[in-house]
Amino acid sequence: MKHRDELKATTASARLVQRRTRPHESPIPSPCSIRVPSVAKKIPPRPASTVQSQPIGIFDSGVGGLTVARQFRRVLPAEDLLYLGDTARVPYGTKSPETVVRYACEDTAFLASRGVKAVVVACNTASAWALETLQKRFSIPIFGVIAPGADAAV
């Protein structure tokens, strides 16, 4: 069943999915078609007064993180979500730890440049190798999925 709060996909070498609630917004470019540092300079940070209207960023090396996005939608239906599926470099599990950290930093920088108020690392590999680095490098809250998943399993 389709409705206005449905996730819409923008296809490119990497997929980016955003829940659109404001029809006047422009489509989001693919992170592979732009350089993150130049984007971060062009997009001014949002004032603190609009934190409630900022989306929550979620990224994964592919589309598996959409299950995390679905749970966010179920538990926090009023929140806007911005999903980055890095399908151009999937899977992260076969990459070196240094490469995974670099990819995770690039993914997080892209989401931060889009004005997210927090980032959820929905990729288990990136959560394992890069979560601590991301939390040190970025001023926004960064959450992984390993500890919450383990807690839920116990």
Side-chain angles (χ1 to χ4, degrees), residues 111-122:
L111 290 170
S113 75
R114 300 304 299 171
V116 298
K117 60 183 163 190
V119 172
V120 177
V121 182

Side-chain angles (χ1 to χ4, degrees), residues 91-105 124-134 137:
Y92 283 8
T94 60
K95 311 293 192 283
S96 71
E98 296 80 16
T99 300
V100 172
V101 170
R102 182 169 47 89
Y103 288 172
C105 287
N124 286 322
T125 304
S127 284
W129 290 113
L131 185 62
E132 186 176 322
T133 301
L134 296 174
R137 286 192 186 173

Side-chain angles (χ1 to χ4, degrees), residues 32-106:
C32 294
S33 66
I34 54 177
R35 295 178 58 194
V36 172
S38 64
V39 171
K41 291 178 188 173
K42 291 180 183 176
I43 300 172
R46 293 184 183 192
S49 63
T50 63
V51 168
Q52 289 184 348
S53 65
Q54 292 174 289
I56 296 171
I58 302 171
F59 79 85
D60 187 19
S61 62
V63 296
L66 288 172
T67 58
V68 174
R70 186 178 321 129
Q71 281 300 101
F72 267 87
R73 177 69 53 238
R74 187 178 68 75
V75 176
L76 302 168
E79 291 289 340
D80 286 336
L81 302 177
L82 184 67
Y83 181 84
L84 171 65
D86 188 3
T87 58
R89 302 183 291 197
V90 69
Y92 283 8
T94 60
K95 311 293 192 283
S96 71
E98 296 80 16
T99 300
V100 172
V101 170
R102 182 169 47 89
Y103 288 172
C105 287
E106 291 170 0

